[in-house]
Amino acid sequence: MSRDAWGRFPDVVGHMARAEEREGYETIITDILQKQYSIMTKSYTEENMMLESQNTANWTDECQSSQDEHDMEKKNGAHDSMNKDMDEEDIDDDEMNRLDEEDDDEDEEEEEGDDTKPKRRGPKKKKMTKARLQRFKLRRMKANARERNRMHGLNDALESLRKVVPCYSKTQKLSKIETLRLAKNYIWALSEILRSGKSPDLMSFVQALCKGLSQPTTNLVAGCLQLNPRTFLPEQSQEIPAHMQTASASFTAHPYSYQTPGLPSPPYGTMDSSHIFHVKPHAYGSALEPFFETALTDCTSPSFDGPLSPPLSVNGNFSFKHEPSSEFEKNYAFTMHYQAAGLAGPQGHAPLYASSAQRCDIPMENIMSYEGHSHHERVMNAQLNAIFHDS
DNA sequence: TAGGCCATCTGGTCCT
DNA sequence: AGGACCAGATGGCCTA
């Protein structure tokens, strides 16, 4: 989603533009803020309490009548700072100092007038003054701006993560939670491959990737890898060819059921091992057996929540080079971006197992969604090639 | 229309 | 005191 120069989203800008057309809304907002602050801090004198009680009585009606403006302010998000093109960096200390001075002056006046009243114990509570209100607003604006920046940074990092997990697509973005789940599965799958030292079949690999993902994301992953999700979803297990079931048997033994407690909707957590294929792993000689045997022995937790401690080294097989200069990258039959057709044989298909008796021919064209020729996608393809071809 | 996802605001807590 | 981080609340957008 595109943002303007101040990081504001289009709908926010639109709201602001409409809000700016309203006359006097700032006054109303300031009034509301003042009342809110008075209530929040509870720092008022008896006189203020009297006033507050009166104001509170009127406040509900006022808030109701000015709800549109108030909502506008909330939606705009620190609209004052935005309307004045102020960001966190723009709120300078001079303004704060000036407000401090005003604040001090008003405090002195307050002390002079308090002679007749009994002095309270404890920390002195300050009256809500205009300057203090301004300071409060400035502080709030700065905090909001920081929080916005922080969340933008978080989202940027998440976007980076999206690009390095399989099935990156600019048009159909994975949600945040699905990105994290897929990344977790991906890391786990790669680490197990490294640990076992054997190449898995594509089916099991996709199954591992899709564990705990929602149905749409599962479809997306399957689509990216040009698999029919029906072939590895548990509900359709009976339709799976024998060799697929064999390959999937080890997946059955996967101790990491993704049945995350409290998941919000049925699509999540449907890959629980308790209902996948119902096949015992040791009865099959899948190439993935070591892959999951280690998992069985190493992991006692029924979920992915335990420490993974993946034996991954980015400096190892996954050489992060921009150009496919190495033999490693050049020779992959699993190449997606370098047009696998010429490498994968006359039918444009390549065997998943270079050495396995159980082969699963998958069309190589567009094996992943490909919308750009960025570095990370080449790296991703290289990694997948390494997994399915080189180990 | 309900539900999912998201951005933002907000107050609390912890840390420096 | 101020910043980072977090979680709850809220409202908008989109889709089935």
Side-chain angles (χ1 to χ4, degrees):
Chain A
M1 196 181 296
S2 63
R3 297 193 287 250
D4 70 357
W6 297 279
R8 299 172 301 189
F9 288 88
D11 58 333
V12 174
V13 178
H15 276 300
M16 288 170 53
R18 287 190 292 276
E20 282 175 344
E21 294 173 3
R22 298 175 181 243
E23 286 186 7
Y25 80 101
E26 281 189 356
T27 307
I28 297 171
I29 292 166
T30 303
D31 195 34
I32 292 171
L33 274 174
Q34 192 158 14
K35 292 181 174 68
Q36 277 186 315
Y37 188 69
S38 295
I39 291 175
M40 186 178 66
T41 57
K42 307 250 187 287
S43 62
Y44 30 66
T45 60
E46 289 183 8
E47 182 181 335
N48 282 339
M49 289 181 72
M50 293 264 300
L51 280 172
E52 188 56 47
S53 62
Q54 292 173 357
N55 289 339
T56 306
N58 300 329
W59 189 31
T60 307
D61 293 335
E62 268 192 57
C63 284
Q64 196 65 39
S65 64
S66 60
Q67 186 63 44
D68 289 345
E69 289 82 356
H70 190 204
D71 288 345
M72 194 72 67
E73 185 227 10
K74 286 192 68 176
K75 178 59 190 176
N76 289 347
H79 74 286
D80 281 349
S81 63
M82 289 180 172
N83 288 344
K84 295 168 186 171
D85 296 340
M86 285 171 68
D87 207 334
E88 184 179 359
E89 302 81 30
D90 300 323
I91 304 170
D92 56 359
D93 292 337
D94 291 341
E95 175 70 6
M96 295 291 277
N97 292 336
R98 189 184 60 78
L99 291 170
D100 279 342
E101 288 172 8
E102 288 182 18
D103 206 19
D104 292 340
D105 293 342
E106 296 186 34
D107 283 346
E108 289 173 7
E109 292 173 10
E110 182 183 351
E111 284 179 7
E112 289 173 2
D114 282 343
D115 288 342
T116 57
K117 295 174 183 173
K119 293 194 175 179
R120 284 186 175 183
R121 291 169 176 262
K124 179 186 174 186
K125 294 183 178 179
K126 294 186 176 180
K127 193 174 78 175
M128 185 61 201
T129 65
K130 216 164 190 175
R132 199 163 290 140
L133 173 68
Q134 289 293 327
R135 282 177 56 198
F136 169 74
K137 286 171 68 178
L138 280 176
R139 255 203 317 274
R140 207 48 261 175
M141 287 174 203
K142 287 176 72 176
N144 290 344
R146 280 196 307 272
E147 180 67 8
R148 266 199 308 276
N149 290 336
R150 197 180 69 87
M151 295 309 295
H152 290 167
L154 197 61
N155 290 338
D156 289 344
L158 205 59
E159 185 60 29
S160 303
L161 186 61
R162 280 193 186 99
K163 292 176 181 176
V164 296
V165 297
C167 304
Y168 172 67
S169 168
K170 285 177 185 171
T171 54
Q172 193 175 354
K173 270 172 58 174
L174 289 177
S175 70
K176 293 179 176 180
I177 184 70
E178 295 290 82
T179 301
L180 292 175
R181 287 189 177 125
L182 181 57
K184 196 167 150 189
N185 290 354
Y186 189 44
I187 292 170
W188 183 87
L190 293 178
S191 64
E192 286 304 318
I193 287 168
L194 285 183
R195 194 190 309 193
S196 67
K198 294 191 178 181
S199 62
D201 63 292
L202 179 60
M203 189 68 64
S204 296
F205 188 73
V206 173
Q207 285 175 340
L209 287 184
C210 292
K211 258 187 174 294
L213 300 185
S214 68
Q215 182 66 57
T217 308
T218 299
N219 292 340
L220 181 64
V221 173
C224 287
L225 298 177
Q226 288 226 337
L227 280 179
N228 184 350
R230 287 171 174 266
T231 59
F232 62 91
L233 284 180
E235 292 79 7
Q236 282 76 26
S237 60
Q238 294 83 357
E239 304 171 11
I240 299 178
H243 70 282
M244 294 289 192
Q245 289 202 17
T246 303
S248 304
S250 54
F251 184 69
T252 308
H254 200 317
Y256 294 136
S257 79
Y258 237 118
Q259 202 72 30
T260 308
L263 282 172
S265 58
Y268 294 106
T270 52
M271 299 299 278
D272 186 354
S273 62
S274 63
H275 60 274
I276 297 178
F277 302 142
H278 308 290
V279 185
K280 290 187 177 181
H282 53 73
Y284 301 89
S286 165
L288 270 183
E289 254 184 34
F291 180 84
F292 294 110
E293 273 176 4
T294 53
L296 276 168
T297 53
D298 292 348
C299 307
T300 55
S301 169
S303 73
F304 250 141
D305 293 336
L308 287 173
S309 304
L312 269 176
S313 170
V314 199
N315 301 324
N317 286 335
F318 303 146
S319 57
F320 279 55
K321 296 173 187 160
H322 184 75
E323 295 300 328
S325 55
S326 66
E327 289 299 305
F328 176 78
E329 277 188 78
K330 281 178 181 171
N331 295 331
Y332 292 138
F334 222 70
T335 297
M336 279 70 79
H337 295 175
Y338 307 131
Q339 277 310 315
L343 298 167
Q347 288 100 15
H349 286 57
L352 280 183
Y353 284 101
S355 58
S356 172
Q358 302 154 352
R359 289 170 183 267
C360 174
D361 288 351
I362 303 294
M364 291 294 101
E365 301 89 4
N366 302 322
I367 198 79
M368 290 180 69
S369 69
Y370 181 54
E371 299 172 52
H373 296 260
S374 58
H375 169 51
H376 67 267
E377 287 173 273
R378 285 195 289 272
V379 171
M380 176 86 57
N381 296 334
Q383 292 176 7
L384 288 174
N385 276 320
I387 293 166
F388 293 107
H389 186 71
D390 202 39
S391 39

